[in-house]
Amino acid sequence: MPSPRLIWPLATVATLAGILGIAAIWTGVAVVSGKPVGWMALVAAVDAVLLLRLAGTRPGWPRAGVAVAATAATVVLANWFIVATQLGLAMGLRPLPSALRLGPDLAWYLAVLANGGLDVAAILAALALAAWWGR
């Protein structure tokens, strides 16, 4: 068990790694399948809660809040890169340069068009799951 002074820095690093890793996997699955695969938000929620538990954070509302924030950040980042990759492929750009040139208004508009009712329901369920299991 890490010392109490190292728990939250360790949890921060683990959470950031989890956000980036799950967003990358989600983007890959979405690009290969051609669908936004909103069910991956549930995987992001489970990953966030698991990483926070493994880092040694105590149960309660602070951990639940971090789990919900990490899940939301993963959803936003994954959708951003899904939109950027699809646009980049159409314009001959690689994913990272496309993501850096993508504006928030266009990203939001295209993400809303791509995500259907089941995708939105899965994202909302993932946020609730992260709060419940994080607590």
Side-chain angles (χ1 to χ4, degrees):
M1 185 80 171
S3 72
R5 289 178 32 166
L6 291 178
I7 288 178
W8 280 108
L10 177 64
T12 302
V13 170
T15 302
L16 289 175
I19 290 169
L20 294 174
I22 295 296
I25 293 169
W26 187 345
T27 302
V29 170
V31 169
V32 169
S33 71
K35 296 179 169 87
V37 291
W39 56 266
M40 283 292 294
L42 298 167
V43 175
V46 170
D47 180 61
V49 170
L50 252 165
L51 286 174
L52 288 169
R53 283 185 181 183
L54 290 173
T57 58
R58 285 189 277 171
W61 289 112
R63 183 169 80 181
V66 172
V68 170
T71 303
T74 305
V75 168
V76 169
L77 188 64
N79 277 291
W80 186 281
F81 270 99
I82 291 167
V83 169
T85 303
Q86 295 295 344
L87 283 176
L89 289 173
M91 296 198 284
L93 292 173
R94 292 184 179 176
L96 189 58
S98 178
L100 294 174
R101 292 180 179 172
L102 182 63
D105 291 336
L106 182 61
W108 174 260
Y109 183 71
L110 292 176
V112 166
L113 286 177
N115 288 303
L118 288 176
D119 296 317
V120 173
I123 290 168
L124 294 175
L127 293 172
L129 182 73
W132 181 37
W133 281 358
R135 190 176 51 81

